[in-house]
């Protein structure tokens, strides 16, 4: 083994990031000037790609900075940092609707905004549901339209209600 000691310096990573964020730069150095190598404890969450970490999922992964040494330098003590990748916010917004008293409840709808990494509703584990407490014979007035119950591995749902307006029939 080598005859000189070395350390890894300037190994700093943010404790957390959000799914869909840009790759996280890896910038540690060794006091010997030898290249630092990186290993992820879970490449399904954080994948080492050259000098950056590509976010692949949500959860936590430990990133190890290593320098194995050479004929002139001993192995550097390994440094570790745990990074937590938070779910991306997904806005689920119900759309306002209206009907005339006595008509059937119209088809209720919502919009999804906030998908990242060119993803779309196909990544949902379960699509959100939408409902109102109004019925066909509910009197004129405003009734809440609510959305709830969606699931997706890498998203945190943020639900926004809307209003169903029922008006009197023209006489």
């Amino acid at each position: 083994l080598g005859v000189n000691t070395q350390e890894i310096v300037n190994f700093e990573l943010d404790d957390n990031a959000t799914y869909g964020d840009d790759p996280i730069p890896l910038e540690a150095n060794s006091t010997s000037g030898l290249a630092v190598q990186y290993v992820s404890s879970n490449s399904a969450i954080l994948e080492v790609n050259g000098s950056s970490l590509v976010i692949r999922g949500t959860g936590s992964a430990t990133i190890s900075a290593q320098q194995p040494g050479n004929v002139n330098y001993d192995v550097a003590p390994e440094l570790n940092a745990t990074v937590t990748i938070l779910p991306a916010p997904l806005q689920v917004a119900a759309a306002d609707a209206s009907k005339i008293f006595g008509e059937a409840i119209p088809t209720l709808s919502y919009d999804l905004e906030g998908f990242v990494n060119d993803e779309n509703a196909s990544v949902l584990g379960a699509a959100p549901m939408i409902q109102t407490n109004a019925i066909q014979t509910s009197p004129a007035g405003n009734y809440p339209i609510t959305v709830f119950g969606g699931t997706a591995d890498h998203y945190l749902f943020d639900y926004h209600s809307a209003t169903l307006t029922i008006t009197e029939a023209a006489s």
Side-chain angles (χ1 to χ4, degrees):
L1 289 179
V3 292
N4 298 303
T5 60
Q6 64 170 334
E7 293 181 7
I8 296 172
V9 294
N10 303 322
F11 181 55
E12 296 177 15
L13 291 174
D14 287 335
D15 289 349
N16 55 56
T18 300
Y19 183 70
D21 283 355
D22 289 335
I24 301 166
L26 294 167
E27 301 173 348
N29 300 299
S30 68
T31 54
S32 66
L34 296 173
V36 175
Q37 301 167 1
Y38 304 95
V39 177
S40 173
S41 67
N42 189 338
S43 60
I45 295 172
L46 283 169
E47 176 188 324
V48 175
N49 184 351
S51 62
S52 64
L53 294 172
V54 178
I55 297 171
R56 297 288 185 206
T58 55
S60 294
T62 299
I63 306 305
S64 301
Q66 305 169 345
Q67 206 320 297
N70 64 14
V71 296
N72 295 316
Y73 288 92
D74 290 332
V75 174
E78 181 177 287
L79 296 181
N80 295 298
T82 300
V83 179
T84 299
I85 305 302
L86 305 171
L90 186 65
Q91 305 300 315
V92 184
D96 288 332
S98 62
K99 76 177 205 78
I100 297 172
F101 172 80
E103 289 182 347
I105 299 292
T107 300
L108 304 176
S109 65
Y110 57 83
D111 290 318
L112 297 169
E113 290 187 20
F115 286 110
V116 297
N117 301 334
D118 294 323
E119 293 175 343
N120 57 41
S122 69
V123 302
L124 298 178
M129 293 177 274
I130 188 166
Q131 69 180 19
T132 183
N133 60 357
I135 60 173
Q136 184 170 349
T137 56
S138 293
N142 293 326
Y143 297 84
I145 299 171
T146 56
V147 283
F148 60 96
T151 63
D153 286 343
H154 307 303
Y155 294 91
L156 181 64
F157 289 72
D158 184 12
Y159 299 102
H160 302 274
S161 298
T163 302
L164 171 64
T165 302
I166 300 178
T167 56
E168 294 286 347
S171 46

